[in-house]
Amino acid sequence: MEIKVTKTHKVKFSVQYFEGTEGGMDAGSFGGEVDTLEEAVAMLERANSAPTISDKDWIIVASVKTTVS
C-alpha cells in the first residue's frame, strides 16, 4: 500500500501596522495583498515615505493558506 500526501502552501504578503490603544489594539493596512516579497518591500517603502502615514511602524505580514491533498 502506498499513500501519497501533498501539501501546498499559498503565501500572500501585505503591509500592515499594529499598535496598542487604550482598551484594545489598532491596526491598518497599506495597499492590498501581493504575491511576491519584492512587491511587498516596494509597498513597504511607499508606506514609510507617505507623508500622512509614515509615522506608523509598518511591517510586512505573510498570510499562508495550506492545502493538504
Side-chain angles (χ1 to χ4, degrees):
M1 173 187 240
E2 184 175 315
I3 299 173
K4 184 176 182 179
V5 176
T6 303
K7 279 188 181 181
T8 304
H9 303 284
K10 178 131 178 123
V11 182
K12 295 278 192 169
F13 301 96
S14 61
V15 174
Q16 300 180 27
Y17 75 88
F18 303 92
E19 60 187 16
T21 62
E22 187 176 325
M25 179 175 276
D26 188 24
S29 62
F30 182 86
E33 288 188 328
V34 293
D35 294 323
T36 67
L37 189 53
E38 291 82 4
E39 292 173 301
V41 169
M43 195 169 13
L44 177 63
E45 290 174 345
R46 286 193 306 273
N48 283 327
S49 65
T52 58
I53 57 172
S54 62
D55 63 329
K56 304 293 184 190
D57 290 326
W58 295 100
I59 60 171
I60 296 174
V61 177
S63 301
V64 182
K65 181 180 179 186
T66 302
T67 305
V68 179
S69 57

